[in-house]
Amino acid sequence: MKSVVNGPRIISWNLTLRCPLKCAHCYVDAGDKETDGVLTTEEAFSVIDQVRETGKPVVVLSGGEPLLREDIYEIARHGTEQGLRMVMGTSGYLIDQMIAVKLKGAGIRAVAISLDSKDPAIHDSFRGLEGVWERAVKAIGYCRDAGIVVQINMSVMGSAISEVEGVIGLGTTLGVRDYQLFFPVPTGRARQIEPRSPEEYEELIRQILIRYRYSDLNIRPTCAPQFRRIANELGITNPAWGRGCLAGITYCRIFANGDVTPCPYLPVSAGNVRKTPFFEIWNNSSLFSALRNPDLLTGKCGRCDFKTICGGCRARAYRRDDAATPLWCDGLATPDTLNGECCGEDPWCLYQPGDVTP
């Protein structure tokens, strides 16, 4: 195996852009049609072999809806056989008892199921299809019965702590202990959603941290790296959190056509596994190198006392002015001159450097 000083810890892989749902915030604009140039089964196996050269990261099989890939069990099994921790991100819409058992048999260790509200009508409206909430709740039970760890992914669209408490309360009754609270970034269809203000989200993050300060549940705000600074201000620590923004540092995304990006919400390609081995992209990409150097951060992120534990959301920094740089077919920007834009200040962070010393 080749030597890697800091290989990825987590890789999210959009295996397909097909999906039966019409989620309002979908960052890849998934739907009925597949994108061009999707990796074949054999190519997917090759990607897994390439990833294995960097270590043993968690590989999140995602979409679209990954269960629409007819070869999903083969891909999961190959990753498992290579020693990778294979998990899945899904709406739960297609999971029944038999599917859960098959996922377990293919080596899937954990499944993240989307649940955005304790109210079925709100969840279904957001996901664009009736009955999604009921299927998601049943899927949680099927996966747990099959011996698969379940995580709930909640897209936090409102600013009321009661909405978060509702989902976590429901999940707890279903035996779920792990929660990722996503603060959507305006990419894909999410660009059409009127966002809450940074002030509202900052206050919501603060309330979440206080509310679950002494909880034994695993709860992490995602795409809101300023939560590390807010937690520090509150005197709250959790060694499991890691850095606020992980993009290109311990985390990356593989797109359906083989392009590798720092995260799903930062649509800038650092290279394609069909042309360049994943090992070389991860270690030698100028984009990833820039993201790993906190001294290259500009604006208030560059002056911030918390830049090494927060780092600011690189996707929001890139999208500051709706990313006027040209996009091509599948929404990924060419990487030629974008490193500086990805290192700008996070427009959603309210903190002014110098207010607090960590």
Side-chain angles (χ1 to χ4, degrees), residues 17-18 33-38 255-257 330:
L17 265 61
R18 289 181 293 154
K33 296 182 180 180
E34 185 64 275
T35 191
D36 294 333
V38 173
F255 195 66
N257 68 350
D330 54 21

Side-chain angles (χ1 to χ4, degrees), residues 211-232:
R211 168 66 178 83
Y212 296 100
R213 181 173 193 157
Y214 302 110
S215 172
D216 60 355
L217 301 174
N218 300 314
I219 301 171
R220 189 187 195 279
T222 301
C223 301
Q226 64 267 45
F227 90 89
R228 288 300 317 273
R229 182 255 306 164
I230 298 171
N232 188 287

Side-chain angles (χ1 to χ4, degrees), residues 86-99:
M86 305 300 289
V87 304
M88 179 174 289
T90 173
S91 68
Y93 189 72
L94 299 178
I95 295 180
D96 57 20
Q97 188 174 33
M98 182 183 70
I99 294 295

Side-chain angles (χ1 to χ4, degrees), residues 23-318:
C23 302
H25 66 312
C26 183
Y27 62 83
V28 292
D29 196 15
D32 298 331
K33 296 182 180 180
E34 185 64 275
T35 191
D36 294 333
V38 173
L39 297 172
T40 66
T41 304
E42 290 303 317
E43 286 176 320
F45 287 174
S46 175
V47 170
I48 288 170
D49 296 342
Q50 294 174 37
V51 165
R52 181 64 182 86
E53 292 186 324
T54 68
K56 295 183 179 181
V58 174
V59 178
V60 185
L61 303 179
S62 182
E65 174 49 64
L67 286 168
L68 288 179
R69 284 272 311 219
E70 293 78 6
D71 55 359
I72 189 65
Y73 305 104
E74 298 173 65
I75 293 172
R77 187 173 295 107
H78 186 75
T80 299
E81 291 171 350
Q82 292 302 309
L84 303 180
R85 181 180 172 88
M86 305 300 289
V87 304
M88 179 174 289
T90 173
S91 68
Y93 189 72
L94 299 178
I95 295 180
D96 57 20
Q97 188 174 33
M98 182 183 70
I99 294 295
V101 171
K102 289 180 67 176
L103 289 173
K104 177 68 174 180
I108 292 294
R109 303 275 295 278
V111 171
I113 294 177
S114 300
L115 200 61
D116 307 311
S117 176
K118 70 174 182 179
D119 185 331
I122 293 176
H123 179 84
D124 289 356
S125 175
F126 184 56
R127 296 286 165 175
L129 194 65
E130 290 185 5
V132 180
W133 184 93
E134 182 179 2
R135 290 199 184 194
V137 170
K138 288 183 177 179
I140 291 172
Y142 292 139
C143 288
R144 294 194 70 244
D145 289 345
I148 300 173
V149 174
V150 176
Q151 172 180 294
I152 285 180
N153 287 353
M154 177 188 182
S155 294
V156 182
M157 303 305 297
S159 55
I161 183 66
S162 60
E163 298 175 11
V164 174
E165 290 176 329
V167 169
I168 294 178
L170 172 61
T172 302
T173 66
L174 299 171
V176 178
R177 304 189 58 77
D178 302 303
Y179 300 85
Q180 291 271 348
L181 307 179
F182 285 84
F183 290 74
V185 178
T187 55
R189 289 199 288 268
R191 296 172 70 180
Q192 310 304 316
I193 297 175
E194 183 67 29
R196 295 294 187 269
S197 69
E199 290 79 7
E200 287 178 291
Y201 271 154
E202 175 120 352
E203 179 57 27
L204 179 55
I205 293 168
R206 187 177 302 276
Q207 291 181 42
I208 291 169
L209 292 172
I210 293 173
R211 168 66 178 83
Y212 296 100
R213 181 173 193 157
Y214 302 110
S215 172
D216 60 355
L217 301 174
N218 300 314
I219 301 171
R220 189 187 195 279
T222 301
C223 301
Q226 64 267 45
F227 90 89
R228 288 300 317 273
R229 182 255 306 164
I230 298 171
N232 188 287
E233 294 169 349
L234 295 169
I236 299 173
T237 60
N238 186 332
W241 280 338
R243 193 176 189 270
C245 182
L246 307 175
I249 300 173
T250 58
Y251 175 67
C252 70
R253 182 268 298 265
I254 301 175
F255 195 66
N257 68 350
D259 277 302
V260 181
T261 76
C263 86
Y265 305 98
L266 182 48
V268 181
S269 176
N272 188 290
V273 292
R274 281 185 167 129
K275 300 177 181 178
T276 308
F278 179 83
F279 180 94
E280 293 185 19
I281 296 173
W282 179 259
N283 283 285
N284 302 325
S285 161
S286 61
L287 174 60
F288 283 2
S289 294
L291 292 172
R292 292 166 189 165
N293 186 352
D295 291 335
L296 295 182
L297 293 173
T298 61
K300 65 181 181 181
C301 282
R303 304 189 305 272
C304 187
D305 302 323
F306 298 96
K307 65 181 180 180
T308 58
I309 65 170
C310 167
C313 177
R314 297 301 91 219
R316 286 197 174 92
Y318 169 70

